[in-house]
Amino acid sequence: MTARGVFYVHSAPPALSPHIEWAAAGVLGVPVSLEWTDQAAAPGTLRAELHWEGRPGTAAGITSALRTWKLVRFEATEDPTPGTDGVRFSFTPSLGVFSGVIGANGDIMVPEDRLRSVMANAAVGKTTLEHELDRLLGTPWDNELEPFRRAGDGAPVRWLHAAV
């Protein structure tokens, strides 16, 4: 079964670009050469975008490979396939990793157990319901990444098919 998705590097120092390509290649199983462009939202950094096809779980693999790199902002998405949900992973140096299951209409689907945990913590005063719901929906990540996403409008798109 083949999955499809997009790997967005929203900002990275130029010196890390070959390392990011190697990390993505290690997950995809084929050489990766991204087309890097300047990131206007963070002068001195670069951005790139890669549309990929590969095994289900590829977006998680890319995220795992890059999640400790504190100078990179990225997102990895994976469309749903029969038997698997869609997913989006977002990473920022200040927030770490966000993962959300994506429904057919593009909404983030929050698992019942996570909602129950948030409600229980809010009920005993550990947090506010509004704050935790924002985190479950990825709002802090969206707020931080949105300027980087907009700066990439009109950027070139490239497809890569993984070895299956």
Side-chain angles (χ1 to χ4, degrees):
M1 178 175 317
T2 301
R4 293 178 131 189
V6 184
F7 172 44
Y8 303 94
V9 180
H10 292 299
S11 72
L16 288 183
S17 59
H19 302 281
I20 293 169
E21 290 174 355
W22 296 330
V27 173
L28 289 163
V30 296
V32 171
S33 178
L34 299 173
E35 187 170 331
W36 296 93
T37 59
D38 291 334
Q39 174 51 276
T45 66
L46 300 174
R47 68 166 312 283
E49 187 173 310
L50 176 71
H51 292 250
W52 57 266
E53 287 185 5
R55 290 183 291 272
T58 296
I62 292 170
T63 301
S64 292
L66 297 174
R67 68 179 297 184
T68 60
W69 298 24
K70 299 298 182 187
L71 299 175
V72 180
R73 287 178 183 84
F74 69 90
E75 291 181 278
T77 66
E78 187 166 314
D79 296 339
T81 57
T84 63
D85 293 317
V87 66
R88 179 184 64 152
F89 296 94
S90 302
F91 178 84
T92 73
S94 63
L95 297 170
V97 174
F98 167 79
S99 67
V101 174
I102 307 298
N105 65 349
D107 286 345
I108 293 175
M109 310 303 288
V110 180
E112 166 181 341
D113 62 329
R114 291 179 74 185
L115 284 172
R116 290 185 193 284
S117 175
V118 163
M119 291 186 321
N121 287 336
V124 296
K126 288 185 179 178
T127 186
T128 66
L129 187 58
E130 294 81 9
H131 173 77
E132 290 303 311
L133 288 175
D134 274 345
R135 289 188 62 78
L136 286 176
L137 295 173
T139 303
W141 287 265
D142 286 339
N143 290 342
E144 187 171 327
L145 291 173
E146 193 57 32
F148 296 90
R149 292 174 182 146
R150 273 192 250 137
D153 287 345
V157 174
R158 184 163 181 208
W159 274 93
L160 183 69
H161 300 273
V164 181

